[in-house]
Amino acid sequence: YNGLEAGQGILILSFLSFVSYITGSAWLAVVGLCMVASLLVFYYYNKVPAKVFPGDMMTYSIGALIAGMAILGNFEKVAIIIFIPYILEVILKVRGGLIKQSFGTPQKNGSLHMPYDKFYGLEHLEIYILNGFSAKPRGNSIGATEKKVTYLIHAFQIIFILIASILSSLISVYIFSETQQTTSNNENASTVNQETPINYTKFSPSQPTSNIDFTNAAEKTIHAVVHVKTKSVQDKYYSGNSLFD
């Protein structure tokens, strides 16, 4: 489908570049935007009616860059969410034994009909939807066309990009609130309690100082014994001088 690969690459890489920038990996965002700029130029000539066509070199490069950005930027979970359409595509392909084609059956009026009775790719699902939930358009309507199928797949991808954005925002808010709560608890735990010193003497400001009993306070104190050693050395061996250690 003309414009499909380039359009998908533009949508996904633009979003991942934004995620890279807001998560502190600006250099990774620059790398992604360089590919987006290249794809925009390519898309101009690849959209319906296409003048140039992509090959495996372009599609593999886009996929490798998406995976590399997700790993280096540490947002693999976001990449998994926006890759859900491709996961569904793989499941449908496996259902068809990896031999069913994703193309529709072209008609003289430019419309597309379902080539099979079942879905073996997202393209078949889009054709079915655009034909009014039917294998063929009803009445005289054109129904599904190559351009409409491509745009509908892009819209499907945008939906998952929005889901990834919402979930990422909610998770970020939750983590921030938990971090703030933990920090607050740690600050409260580290605060020194200003307790009133124990009054062993049972002294009261209104009590005369002559009646203060220090016996209880003396019993509670920690006794310290200071040993003082004095050593005298006779000076007969030291020319009459005395040394004290």
Side-chain angles (χ1 to χ4, degrees):
Y1 291 84
N2 295 328
L4 180 60
E5 297 87 349
Q8 290 290 97
I10 291 171
L11 293 174
I12 295 174
L13 289 174
S14 297
F15 176 67
L16 293 184
S17 297
F18 172 74
V19 174
S20 300
Y21 179 77
I22 63 176
T23 54
S25 300
W27 68 272
L28 203 57
V30 173
V31 174
L33 291 177
C34 288
M35 177 63 85
V36 171
S38 301
L39 290 176
L40 286 172
V41 177
F42 181 84
Y43 179 79
Y44 178 80
Y45 296 99
N46 180 239
K47 65 182 180 179
V48 180
K51 300 180 179 63
V52 293
F53 304 95
D56 292 341
M57 181 63 70
M58 193 194 82
T59 55
Y60 290 167
S61 298
I62 295 174
L65 181 57
I66 292 173
M69 291 182 66
I71 295 172
L72 294 175
N74 197 25
F75 43 79
E76 295 90 342
K77 296 181 179 61
V78 175
I80 291 176
I81 295 175
I82 63 177
F83 254 84
I84 289 178
Y86 292 93
I87 297 174
L88 296 177
E89 177 76 10
V90 171
I91 294 174
L92 293 175
K93 286 292 186 182
V94 173
R95 178 188 181 187
L98 301 177
I99 59 175
K100 300 294 185 180
Q101 299 294 329
S102 298
F103 303 114
T105 303
Q107 305 300 309
K108 292 182 179 180
N109 60 356
S111 64
L112 296 175
H113 292 181
M114 284 279 295
Y116 309 106
D117 295 332
K118 298 180 179 180
F119 304 139
Y120 298 109
L122 287 180
E123 295 82 1
H124 298 158
L125 176 61
E126 312 302 340
I127 292 174
Y128 183 80
I129 294 174
L130 291 170
N131 284 337
F133 296 95
S134 175
K136 299 179 181 179
R138 299 174 181 177
N140 297 325
S141 62
I142 296 179
T145 62
E146 182 179 6
K147 182 182 291 186
K148 291 180 180 179
V149 171
T150 301
Y151 289 163
L152 188 56
I153 293 177
H154 289 339
F156 192 54
Q157 182 65 65
I158 292 174
I159 291 174
F160 282 96
I161 289 176
L162 294 176
I163 292 174
S165 301
I166 294 172
L167 291 178
S168 300
S169 300
L170 293 176
I171 293 173
S172 299
V173 171
Y174 173 77
I175 294 175
F176 178 77
S177 61
E178 288 295 317
T179 303
Q180 291 294 103
Q181 183 65 29
T182 303
T183 303
S184 178
N185 293 337
N186 292 337
E187 291 178 353
N188 293 335
S190 62
T191 302
V192 179
N193 295 327
Q194 301 296 329
E195 298 180 354
T196 304
I198 300 176
N199 188 2
Y200 290 115
T201 62
K202 301 179 181 180
F203 169 73
S204 175
S206 61
Q207 181 182 1
T209 56
S210 59
N211 296 329
I212 298 177
D213 184 10
F214 290 96
T215 305
N216 189 33
E219 292 176 352
K220 300 296 182 181
T221 57
I222 300 176
H223 298 280
V225 179
V226 180
H227 297 276
V228 180
K229 292 184 179 181
T230 305
K231 187 177 182 181
S232 178
V233 180
Q234 297 295 333
D235 57 352
K236 61 180 179 178
Y237 300 108
Y238 298 97
S239 303
N241 294 324
S242 298
L243 298 178
F244 297 95
D245 296 332

